[in-house]
Amino acid sequence: METFGYTREYLTKNNEPWFPVMGEIHYSRLGQLSAKEELLKMKAGGVNIASTYCFWNHHEEIRGEFDFSGDRSRSLKDFLQACKEAGIYCFLRIGPWAHGEARYGGFPDWLIELERSGQVRLRSNDEHYLQLVRRFWEQLYVEAQGYFYKDGGPVIGVQIENEYGHVGGLTGEEGNLHMKTLQKMAVEIGFEVPYYTATGWGGAMIGDCLPVMGGYCEAPWDRSVRALDPNPNYLFSKIRNDAMIASDHHLGSGVTFDENQYPYLMAELGGGLQVTGHRRPVATGRDIGAMSLVKLGSGANLLGYYMYHGGTNPAGKLSTLEESTLVGDYNDLPKINYDFNAPIRQYGSISDTYKEIKLLAMFLNSFGDYIAPMEAVIGGSGEAASLGFFVSEKSDIAPADTYNDPSDVRHLRWAVRYSIDGRCGADQGTKAGFVFFNNYQRQLAMDSHKGVEFVLDGVKTGLVDIENGEYGFYPFNMSCGDKLLKYATATPLCKLNTKAGTKYVFYGKENAQFIWEDEPADIVMLTREQALDAYVVKEDKGYENLVISDEYVFSDGLKPLQRKILNISFVGDSLEIYDKNGNLLNDYFYTGQDVKLLLSEGMDPKELEFRLSPLKSREQVFIEQWPKDTGTRIVRTWITYE
């Protein structure tokens, strides 16, 4: 059986460095979709771990009536079985408080009423509260029993609470005691796993858990209705905390733990953005791709995306289950729609974000153990200079000493991850690794850089042009089997175990340079566009092939079934769609994007009812793509198969 652990620098698998990719998917928000099929899509995108919230109010909306049935939403047991069959690990985020844009953060209404009547103090060490948590977790355990890794199942991690001490809860010694109490309770119940994690941003309490961090390209929860300042998540930095997460509550004040004692793990790297009633930014694939690359170059050793798969809120028995200002939450969310502009959208279609972050996921699946032990150094810093890492360029832009202003569009941002212990195949004492560059800042145009040359401990990469919006990384002193690649101005995508031996796949521009120490390895060179459409497919005997397809391809080479989708273009503040019996099927806030509705078998689009509300003023809502004509209307509808 495989073993899992961690050091201060990285996660381990079988005592070796391990760099997994994690994606959030909510089993109770899958609606009509097949859990196994959606997990296989995630796996095809390079995801190794599926993380999922267990929302209390999705399972015990009425006190004492637990509901894990598949007819209301996919059951936890069914989901874990699907993880096992798909060959993907699982992290359970068991709360008890979750947030996740759910009503009361996932707490049932009856629990809120107990606190209002003074019978219980929520998210505290109150014995009555802890008894109620134990009862809920015991029910979760019944569903998850047999699926923990020790039993041959996929569950290798459990997250305790969420944003505890940052968004509600106790702080200081009391807060850490509460986190330790919850973790001890989980273990007593039977939640025995290799990893126990807690969100660490914003001054949150972690107890004895492994802290995980987050970062988003915008903040749709922010209370303002203006364009926000340029986002610092596009800067290479040693700062792990994203102060903007949960800024509707308050700005994060740093971390409560010694970062040097824990690996840099991202569990909530925004895979998209869930729009709110008052704030509706749209995350693009390049928004997420550039931010992901920056986190990798800054030293992150887990890329975990929230969300990776969009969802559909289940129907409540007593109310709708979305976050809403009507019940005291800070934001209004759609009642049904939790699409999130995620890599995999609400109804299972893939987006440009899926392809963008697949580039990094494929690289990490092949070379994660290679890069995980590498230290990170920020370009332009004194540390970088002392290590022999420099950059020059023929344009008139002088290198900056530091890069701490996200509004700076003039200077190239870069970083290096390197090793000097010989692990990467170079001689002992020789630095080897990857140089990262980012010339992308969301919503800003960056200056182009002509004739850029990186000098990496004596290795000169040759001249490259880095245009506005470009980001990537290049290897130096990289081991390719028994061959040594001194440098390349192309990016490694993956390695393939073929009948003819190991092939190394790179992508980049046509004039990419490869300089080998002696003989070259067997390489395949793709354009970036081809790499975006590339998938690794395994044969029965274990050999691997590379498939280029504009549709996602499962690891066995099969393609999933297509679904009938109604596409709608509309103008208005919101759109609600009802079936002929008056049941709400989906709802949307206007963002300028077309929206989708899954058409069930036998559903006639002509029998649907569309309810539109007028667009609000610019003083009431922030929208990045305002329509030229703000008149409320359905522009057009059409059907596709996806």
Side-chain angles (χ1 to χ4, degrees):
M1 178 177 286
E2 296 167 327
T3 59
F4 297 90
Y6 67 92
T7 71
R8 290 185 298 177
E9 290 81 29
Y10 48 79
L11 301 176
T12 63
K13 184 177 179 182
N14 297 328
N15 298 316
E16 294 293 328
W18 184 44
F19 196 139
V21 178
M22 184 164 69
E24 186 90 4
I25 175 174
H26 296 157
Y27 63 92
S28 59
R29 283 171 163 161
L30 278 176
Q32 302 175 50
L33 304 184
S34 160
K36 182 178 178 180
E37 182 173 312
E38 301 312 305
L39 289 165
L40 286 172
K41 290 177 191 174
M42 294 172 64
K43 188 176 180 180
V47 173
N48 317 109
I49 304 171
S51 55
T52 190
Y53 273 135
C54 302
F55 293 105
W56 195 340
N57 60 359
H58 287 193
H59 297 301
E60 195 189 5
E61 192 175 355
I62 299 172
R63 187 175 183 180
E65 295 184 11
F66 288 97
D67 185 358
F68 290 92
S69 61
D71 57 347
R72 179 166 177 248
S73 59
R74 294 288 184 250
S75 74
L76 176 57
K77 183 177 295 185
D78 289 348
F79 178 76
L80 295 179
Q81 178 63 30
C83 287
K84 186 174 182 178
E85 293 176 5
I88 194 167
Y89 298 118
C90 181
F91 265 58
L92 293 177
R93 306 176 78 183
I94 62 176
W97 190 81
H99 197 190
E101 292 71 58
R103 181 181 175 94
Y104 292 123
F107 278 162
D109 285 29
W110 60 263
L111 189 60
I112 300 297
E113 290 303 319
L114 287 180
E115 181 174 57
R116 288 173 177 169
S117 63
Q119 299 180 59
V120 67
R121 186 183 174 198
L122 301 181
R123 304 182 78 189
S124 77
N125 296 313
D126 173 67
E127 284 299 322
H128 189 192
Y129 171 67
L130 293 175
Q131 289 170 6
L132 293 169
V133 172
R134 178 179 288 273
R135 187 170 59 90
F136 170 52
W137 280 1
E138 287 174 345
Q139 291 295 318
L140 280 181
Y141 178 73
V142 169
E143 297 297 310
Q145 190 172 12
Y147 290 99
F148 293 94
Y149 190 72
K150 65 182 180 64
D151 304 315
V155 180
I156 61 170
V158 166
Q159 180 181 302
I160 303 296
E161 254 283 349
N162 192 64
E163 299 172 317
Y164 189 80
H166 171 42
V167 181
L170 304 171
T171 59
E173 291 184 8
E174 278 191 301
N176 274 317
L177 173 62
H178 182 68
M179 292 295 290
K180 292 176 182 179
T181 299
L182 289 178
Q183 182 179 348
K184 180 182 177 183
M185 181 193 301
V187 173
E188 290 173 351
I189 292 170
F191 290 91
E192 297 180 33
V193 291
Y195 300 113
Y196 297 93
T197 64
T199 53
W201 59 81
M205 305 291 106
I206 68 167
D208 292 330
C209 296
L210 191 61
V212 292
M213 307 306 291
Y216 289 83
C217 70
E218 228 269 9
W221 52 80
D222 194 83
R223 299 189 189 187
S224 73
V225 290
R226 62 169 180 83
L228 299 180
D229 294 336
N231 193 306
N233 283 316
Y234 292 96
L235 296 172
F236 294 106
S237 171
K238 293 293 185 73
I239 298 173
R240 300 185 185 184
N241 185 56
D242 183 350
M244 284 301 293
I245 298 181
S247 59
D248 47 343
H249 293 263
H250 64 85
L251 288 176
S253 55
V255 298
T256 62
F257 55 91
D258 182 357
E259 293 178 343
N260 293 321
Q261 299 303 312
Y262 300 98
Y264 184 7
L265 308 177
M266 301 292 297
E268 280 204 24
L269 186 57
L273 297 168
Q274 179 58 38
V275 297
T276 62
H278 70 286
R279 187 166 193 83
R280 305 173 191 178
V282 175
T284 67
R286 297 185 68 80
D287 288 344
I288 308 306
M291 182 175 64
S292 301
L293 176 124
V294 166
K295 296 302 181 184
L296 177 60
S298 298
N301 272 336
L302 167 68
L303 295 185
Y305 292 94
Y306 187 99
M307 296 288 294
Y308 192 91
H309 197 304
T312 300
N313 283 327
K317 296 178 179 178
L318 303 177
S319 69
T320 53
L321 296 173
E322 83 285 2
E323 180 178 347
S324 169
T325 57
L326 293 177
V327 296
D329 292 325
Y330 286 116
N331 303 295
D332 285 314
L333 277 292
K335 298 181 179 69
I336 302 293
N337 192 313
Y338 197 64
D339 177 80
F340 217 88
N341 268 293
I344 303 178
R345 305 293 292 273
Q346 179 183 13
Y347 295 127
S349 58
I350 65 170
S351 67
D352 58 344
T353 304
Y354 177 93
K355 295 184 177 184
E356 281 287 337
I357 61 180
K358 179 169 62 66
L359 296 178
L360 294 180
M362 291 178 70
F363 165 75
L364 293 171
N365 284 185
S366 288
F367 302 104
D369 59 340
Y370 210 70
I371 194 173
M374 293 182 180
E375 297 182 45
V377 59
I378 309 306
S381 66
E383 181 185 10
S386 69
L387 291 166
F389 299 143
F390 302 92
V391 64
S392 63
E393 57 183 286
K394 289 187 174 180
S395 61
D396 63 351
I397 303 174
D401 292 332
T402 57
Y403 304 86
N404 55 13
D405 181 4
S407 65
D408 177 4
V409 301
R410 185 167 172 76
H411 295 103
L412 180 66
R413 304 164 185 184
W414 62 283
V416 178
R417 289 194 68 166
Y418 72 97
S419 173
I420 56 175
D421 62 1
R423 178 182 293 272
C424 293
D427 293 336
Q428 190 76 19
T430 300
K431 298 184 183 72
F434 304 91
V435 58
F436 293 79
F437 58 89
N438 177 38
N439 203 32
Y440 184 97
Q441 178 73 45
R442 187 176 190 272
Q443 301 290 314
L444 293 181
M446 306 290 285
D447 286 358
S448 295
H449 300 267
K450 304 296 184 181
V452 175
E453 183 175 59
F454 295 102
V455 181
L456 306 166
D457 193 29
V459 176
K460 296 183 178 181
T461 62
L463 302 181
V464 294
D465 294 339
I466 300 176
E467 305 295 340
N468 167 46
E470 291 189 341
Y471 49 90
F473 63 101
Y474 299 146
F476 65 99
N477 287 331
M478 177 184 176
S479 171
C480 295
D482 59 354
K483 311 298 190 223
L484 185 66
L485 178 60
K486 295 298 293 182
Y487 75 82
T489 54
T491 302
L493 177 67
C494 64
K495 57 184 176 182
L496 299 172
N497 175 32
T498 73
K499 292 180 181 179
T502 302
K503 294 182 181 292
Y504 295 85
V505 183
F506 290 77
Y507 63 94
K509 299 178 181 179
E510 290 184 3
N511 60 351
Q513 306 169 59
F514 289 84
I515 302 298
W516 300 89
E517 185 174 61
D518 293 307
E519 294 296 316
D522 191 356
I523 68 168
V524 176
M525 184 65 190
L526 306 177
T527 65
R528 192 177 194 278
E529 291 68 29
Q530 289 172 323
L532 288 169
D533 288 334
Y535 296 84
V536 175
V537 173
K538 289 188 177 182
E539 300 177 5
D540 292 339
K541 294 184 178 180
Y543 294 120
E544 295 171 321
N545 294 312
L546 198 68
V547 173
I548 309 296
S549 172
D550 58 0
E551 298 178 356
Y552 45 83
V553 178
F554 293 160
S555 60
D556 59 4
L558 297 177
K559 295 182 179 180
L561 297 175
Q562 292 187 323
R563 300 181 177 92
K564 189 176 182 180
I565 300 291
L566 177 66
N567 298 266
I568 308 106
S569 176
F570 77 98
V571 177
D573 187 66
S574 64
L575 167 65
E576 295 182 342
I577 301 179
Y578 294 82
D579 67 15
K580 61 183 180 181
N581 298 316
N583 299 308
L584 179 62
L585 300 176
N586 210 342
D587 56 337
Y588 321 82
F589 290 143
Y590 179 82
T591 64
Q593 297 172 289
D594 299 327
V595 299
K596 299 177 183 292
L597 176 72
L598 176 63
L599 294 175
S600 302
E601 186 176 352
M603 184 180 291
D604 185 352
K606 296 178 181 179
E607 296 178 337
L608 300 176
E609 179 185 355
F610 297 81
R611 299 181 189 176
L612 286 163
S613 62
L615 197 59
K616 296 177 181 177
S617 70
R618 294 175 186 261
E619 288 72 35
Q620 295 173 296
V621 59
F622 172 75
I623 298 174
E624 290 177 335
Q625 303 176 45
W626 280 88
K628 294 180 180 179
D629 180 357
T630 59
T632 304
R633 65 196 185 280
I634 298 292
V635 178
R636 69 185 184 108
T637 63
W638 67 102
I639 290 175
T640 56
Y641 292 85
E642 302 176 7

